[in-house]
Amino acid sequence: MATSFDISDKEGASRNRNGGGLQVSIREFLRRPNLVGSAFPASRYLVKALLEPVDWMNARVVVEFGPGTGPLSRALLQRMPRDSRLVAIDVSRRFTRHLRRTIDDSRLLAVPAPAASADLILEKHGLGSADLIVTGIPFSTMSAEEGARTLDISARILQRQGALLAYQMRSTIAPLLAERFGGVETSYVWRNIPPCHVYRAERPRKA
């Protein structure tokens, strides 16, 4: 059965910078724990481990899977060039509404949709390929088919010189990345709730 989703960008962002993000995150985690990686936002230590190695001058189109309430979205936007675009994709409309309401940045496109629809979203908005993909969606709780499809699409839309960054509670994603990317680096961040595996995948193998 086909999945229905809205890939429009109708709602403008307000200037409310906080908006009860932790409460929204906890509610969504309790509603759908298999789709939300954690009830707690990413720590500054995790943000640093993920984003410090990135060449931001070349990050013109950034795709984020599972932005939640947006701690990483804000960190990404702080580092991205002025003429860039952040495409934040989340299956939860509560999360995407929260992002639009609390992040006042015209570079943000928050879309309620499955991560595997990223190619359609980029095509609809004329954005071409992605220079960077960041994902926190829990591959350990999604089906094997959905995980494989999501990373197939990721490898397809990523520029050859781009990178996919993933933070995960478990290592389920590791063999999936190894099958689709020519180089994968791993590390571990203890100072996060929960502690996370961090992956940097490069040289996507196009299907």
Side-chain angles (χ1 to χ4, degrees), residues 40-106:
F40 299 96
S43 72
R44 68 179 184 274
Y45 306 105
L46 177 57
V47 171
K48 181 179 180 181
L50 272 174
L51 304 186
E52 197 170 58
V54 175
D55 176 9
W56 292 105
M57 291 300 296
N58 293 314
R60 302 291 172 173
V61 177
V62 178
V63 176
E64 183 183 8
F65 298 150
T69 56
L72 267 173
S73 306
R74 293 174 177 83
L76 289 165
L77 289 166
Q78 288 171 3
R79 292 162 171 79
M80 290 164 55
R82 289 186 178 182
D83 59 347
S84 59
R85 202 75 195 271
L86 173 60
V87 183
I89 304 172
D90 203 298
V91 292
S92 167
R93 290 180 179 272
R94 287 179 172 84
F95 281 148
T96 54
R97 283 197 298 265
H98 180 83
L99 294 179
R100 293 167 179 163
R101 189 175 67 248
T102 60
I103 298 178
D104 181 24
D105 194 317
S106 61

Side-chain angles (χ1 to χ4, degrees), residues 114-174:
S117 63
D119 56 339
L120 302 179
I121 296 167
L122 292 181
E123 181 180 2
K124 177 179 175 64
H125 292 277
L127 294 174
S129 300
D131 301 299
L132 180 69
I133 298 172
V134 181
T135 178
I137 57 177
F139 282 80
S140 59
T141 59
M142 67 174 65
S143 70
E145 293 78 11
E146 183 69 9
R149 183 163 59 250
T150 297
L151 290 180
D152 284 341
I153 294 296
S154 298
R156 189 183 309 163
I157 66 173
L158 192 63
Q159 295 274 12
R160 179 65 182 172
Q161 67 275 21
L164 182 149
L165 310 177
Y167 56 103
Q168 302 281 299
M169 290 174 58
R170 298 179 177 87
S171 58
T172 307
I173 196 174

Side-chain angles (χ1 to χ4, degrees), residues 156-203:
R156 189 183 309 163
I157 66 173
L158 192 63
Q159 295 274 12
R160 179 65 182 172
Q161 67 275 21
L164 182 149
L165 310 177
Y167 56 103
Q168 302 281 299
M169 290 174 58
R170 298 179 177 87
S171 58
T172 307
I173 196 174
L176 300 175
L177 292 174
E179 292 171 4
R180 293 164 176 82
F181 292 86
V184 181
E185 298 176 1
T186 65
S187 60
Y188 200 74
V189 178
W190 289 99
R191 300 177 78 176
N192 191 70
I193 304 176
C196 281
H197 298 273
V198 172
Y199 300 90
R200 180 184 176 91
E202 299 177 315
R203 302 193 304 278

